[in-house]
Amino acid sequence: MNKTGTTRVTTTNGVTFITKSNDTYVSKSLEVYGEWSYGEITFLSQLLNESDNVVEAGANIGAHTVFLAKELVPNGIVFAFEPRRVLFQTLCGNLALNSLENVHAYDLALSDKPDAQAEGRIDFSAKLNLGGYALGDFVGNQEEIKIQKLDNLIDPKKVIALIKADIQGYELKLLIGSDELIKRDRPFLYLENEDPKTSFELISYLWKLEYDCWWDIVPLFNPNNRANTQQNIFPNISSFNMFCAPREKSVNVDISKIVDAKSHPLSQN
């Protein structure tokens, strides 16, 4: 029998999250700090207007979705994609608990072509990093992951200001499947890039799209967190992301611009 572990509900400063007790990163951070890698939200707040539309790929349980919809684009739309069934259900629960009606949630993965993939069930009784698994990492065939191109899903009338993606190595395939949208709307891009082995190909593709890129390295511990908790349970751990902007847009950001596609912060350690 597949045990589910303990589901918890945590409220911090008026924001409520359903979490999983054995998820040692996203859920644990929400329980201790009331937020997860919140420096990403702080950075994006410099770029977005209240009425902007945002795509979030890899929404997980909504740790960023809630703040995107509630604080950054309350008059816009967040199109949130989470392909794993139980995480998607938890995402929807967190949207409902926070009375967020400006999120359109999809139980889908995003890639370069429509597809489907079998995957095993998540064993929630084990210690997990629920934000750290690529498609297919759970062995088995009890679950079906549906995969789509973003170009097949977004109404062209809904102009997208930002695509945010944390999808464990599928970022390049997401971009390929968003070719029409990117050409049409020229959105900002905020992409996880934690693997030096795939970084060169991703950056090279973005340069071909005539995007400039910057590293945004975000410590998981925020000393000014929403719960005012001063204990650092994530010492020396950061999220490695790229902010990417169309070259025709004038942006001024105080982070390191990428000038060498072969160089990755983690490959220097």
Side-chain angles (χ1 to χ4, degrees):
M1 183 176 181
N2 187 39
K3 298 179 180 179
T4 60
T6 302
T7 297
R8 295 172 174 161
V9 179
T10 301
T11 300
T12 307
N13 284 348
V15 178
T16 300
F17 285 100
I18 303 167
T19 59
K20 285 293 190 181
S21 60
N22 285 344
D23 176 15
T24 57
Y25 281 82
V26 176
S27 289
K28 186 67 174 179
S29 184
L30 291 171
E31 293 168 4
V32 174
Y33 303 122
E35 62 186 46
W36 159 255
S37 194
Y38 195 77
E40 299 180 37
I41 298 297
T42 301
F43 178 81
L44 295 175
S45 69
Q46 306 171 56
L47 306 169
L48 295 172
N49 297 313
E50 290 188 350
S51 59
D52 281 340
N53 300 320
V54 172
V55 168
E56 184 191 18
N60 200 270
I61 63 172
H64 285 158
T65 321
V66 167
F67 295 112
L68 285 168
K70 185 180 181 70
E71 297 181 353
L72 271 57
V73 295
N75 300 320
I77 299 171
V78 178
F79 298 93
F81 295 85
E82 172 48 52
R84 291 189 169 108
R85 178 177 57 85
V86 177
L87 299 185
F88 174 76
Q89 292 168 348
T90 308
L91 164 68
C92 292
N94 285 326
L95 300 176
L97 282 174
N98 291 285
S99 302
L100 293 170
E101 298 181 0
N102 61 327
V103 180
H104 296 196
Y106 299 82
D107 188 9
L108 291 171
L110 295 175
S111 190
D112 57 341
K113 60 184 178 182
D115 203 351
Q117 179 170 331
E119 189 176 74
R121 291 196 183 110
I122 303 172
D123 180 6
F124 286 99
S125 67
K127 296 293 183 182
L128 298 163
N129 173 8
L130 287 176
Y133 298 100
L135 290 182
D137 278 357
F138 296 102
V139 178
N141 59 6
Q142 298 94 340
E143 302 282 341
E144 182 183 63
I145 304 293
K146 297 178 181 178
I147 303 170
Q148 259 296 354
K149 292 172 51 174
L150 189 60
D151 279 338
N152 292 344
L153 299 169
I154 302 296
D155 184 342
K157 296 178 183 178
K158 302 292 186 185
V159 177
I160 301 300
L162 168 73
I163 298 175
K164 179 183 181 296
D166 181 351
I167 50 177
Q168 304 305 308
Y170 274 74
E171 285 79 10
L172 178 55
K173 289 186 176 182
L174 160 69
L175 296 177
I176 294 170
S178 310
D179 180 65
E180 294 175 12
L181 187 155
I182 290 171
K183 288 178 179 177
R184 181 181 70 240
D185 296 345
R186 302 295 283 165
F188 292 128
L189 307 172
Y190 192 82
L191 311 171
E192 183 186 55
N193 182 1
E194 294 197 335
D195 188 350
K197 295 178 182 178
T198 59
S199 179
F200 175 78
E201 188 177 8
L202 177 59
I203 294 170
S204 298
Y205 184 81
L206 288 160
W207 284 351
K208 289 179 182 178
L209 296 179
E210 298 188 347
Y211 272 73
D212 288 326
C213 305
W214 294 258
W215 289 112
D216 189 32
I217 301 171
V218 180
L220 295 190
F221 173 65
N222 170 22
N224 300 312
N225 61 80
R226 297 174 60 86
N228 197 30
T229 300
Q230 294 308 300
Q231 178 190 10
N232 183 357
I233 64 172
F234 301 119
N236 303 315
I237 304 177
S238 298
S239 297
F240 288 78
N241 306 300
M242 293 190 305
F243 165 64
C244 311
R247 287 179 184 155
E248 68 272 16
K249 291 185 179 180
S250 177
V251 296
N252 183 16
V253 290
D254 188 22
I255 49 178
S256 298
K257 191 170 185 179
I258 299 174
V259 296
D260 181 0
K262 295 181 179 179
S263 178
H264 189 286
L266 290 176
S267 65
Q268 299 171 4
N269 295 334

